[in-house]
């Protein structure tokens, strides 16, 4: 479930960083995942590792939101998952900066309530953000000193021929935000001395966590001492405020290319919910002949057909959502029938027991509107 973040055509592109979008003016959207938490004070901006995309890290992001009671904005890299483009140092950093600008100018979230988290390759753009913006905190998990230094660990002096990428050792010296660095001593991909050297260079308030058994790809949820407890103690989480996060309308109505006719995703609904299971938005893609919500194509800049009447457009959306609701209810019914049958086959139903136990409940309101 991803937002495509870039400014509407009515917003001017400015080099001062006040606009929301890539600083290089590129038109490719930045795919992000936003998870809201009621009354949360902090917003986590998460930059994932090389072996992940937004889909693979989705469950971990839910754990972050629930465990620390925070909003989570995860950024996708070009060429990963649903994000178009080609991944390189410049394009990855551009996406990270676009997401930060969106958090500041689109969500209007204060810098002193933003914590940037970067894991593995994500430590590169995360350190760039913390060097550029004075956020509340920076969290690095299994970071590298630089890409060249990692190559030298494997190839020795032959690694010197490789061009330097993500020089974290330079950017960490510009960081004035408090730093929590977690690096397992059992890491054989990026040795923990990379993290120790970065930690020594950071001039800000900092804490180093080096679990003995933690590896490069160890689950951060497998042991509370790896990540959860240090985060709670170092940043004083959770914390709350009485202002909720508000996503601007243009995020949901930005022009998006229609999927091909044979795509199984045509006419599907996209639901984004907060921790209280309250729906945030439902985005429904209509038939191919329907005009998109934005009459301007960002690729060509040409004006397309006029937008349909607002009432008619809303009615079409309601009909499409009703169709999806019926399909979801049918799936719930089938799941409930299958669970009931399985229970009877295994050992029969006990008349004194609660027959509804372990059976899925059909929600009264699926929350599409």
């Amino acid at each position: 479930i991803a937002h495509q973040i870039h400014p509407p055509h009515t917003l001017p592109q400015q080099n001062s960083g006040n606009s929301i979008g890539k600083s290089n003016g590129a038109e490719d959207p930045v795919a992000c995942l936003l998870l809201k938490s009621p009354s949360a004070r902090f917003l986590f901006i998460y930059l994932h590792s090389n072996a992940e995309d937004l889909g693979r890290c989705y469950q971990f992001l839910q754990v972050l939101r629930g465990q620390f009671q925070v909003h989570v904005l995860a950024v996708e890299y070009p060429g990963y998952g649903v994000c178009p483009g080609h991944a390189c140092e410049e394009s990855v950093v551009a996406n990270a900066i676009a997401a930060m600008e969106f958090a500041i100018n689109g969500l209007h979230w204060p810098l002193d309530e933003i914590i940037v988290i970067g894991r593995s390759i994500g430590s590169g753009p995360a350190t760039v953000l913390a060097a550029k913006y004075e956020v509340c905190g920076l969290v690095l998990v299994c970071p590298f000193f630089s890409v060249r230094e990692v190559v030298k660990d494997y190839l020795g002096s032959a690694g010197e021929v490789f061009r330097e990428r993500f020089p974290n050792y330079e950017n960490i010296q510009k960081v004035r935000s408090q730093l929590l660095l977690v690096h397992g001593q059992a890491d054989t991909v990026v040795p923990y001395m990379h993290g120790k050297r970065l930690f020594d260079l950071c001039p800000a308030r900092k804490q180093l966590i080096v679990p003995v058994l933690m590896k490069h790809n160890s689950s951060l949820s497998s042991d509370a001492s790896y990540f959860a407890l240090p985060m709670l103690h170092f940043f004083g989480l959770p914390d709350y405020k009485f202002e909720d996060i508000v996503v601007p309308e243009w995020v949901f109505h930005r022009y998006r290319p229609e999927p091909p006719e044979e795509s199984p995703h045509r006419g599907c609904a996209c639901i984004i919910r907060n921790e209280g299971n309250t729906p945030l938005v439902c985005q429904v893609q209509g038939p191919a002949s329907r005009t998109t919500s934005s009459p301007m194509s960002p690729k060509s800049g040409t004006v397309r057909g006029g937008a349909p009447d607002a009432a008619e457009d809303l009615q079409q959306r309601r009909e499409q959502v009703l169709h999806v609701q019926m399909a979801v209810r049918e799936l719930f019914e089938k799941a409930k029938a299958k669970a009931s049958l399985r229970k009877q086959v295994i050992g029969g139903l006990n008349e004194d027991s609660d027959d509804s136990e372990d059976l899925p409940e059909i929600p009264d309101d699926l929350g599409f509107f």
Side-chain angles (χ1 to χ4, degrees), residues 292-315:
T292 57
S293 57
S294 173
M296 181 79 75
S297 168
K299 295 294 184 183
S300 62
T302 58
V303 178
R304 307 179 65 183
D309 179 76
E312 180 182 352
D313 181 63
L314 180 59
Q315 182 60 30

Side-chain angles (χ1 to χ4, degrees), residues 148-168:
R148 180 189 288 171
E149 289 298 310
V150 175
V151 175
K152 287 169 64 177
D153 287 339
Y154 289 88
L155 301 181
S157 59
E160 292 290 349
V161 302
F162 284 82
R163 182 174 69 88
E164 184 63 286
R165 295 179 178 87
F166 290 118
N168 288 342

Side-chain angles (χ1 to χ4, degrees), residues 34 39 46 72 105 108-109 117 133 138 146 152 175 179 194-196 207 219 222 228 320 327 331 341 353 368:
L34 176 63
S39 303
Y46 182 74
V72 180
N105 300 306
H108 303 291
W109 215 252
I117 304 177
Y133 304 90
L138 170 65
S146 73
K152 287 169 64 177
V175 172
L179 169 69
H194 281 251
K196 178 64 169 62
Q207 182 176 0
S219 171
S222 62
Q320 290 172 326
L331 290 176
L341 179 61
S353 65
F368 285 93

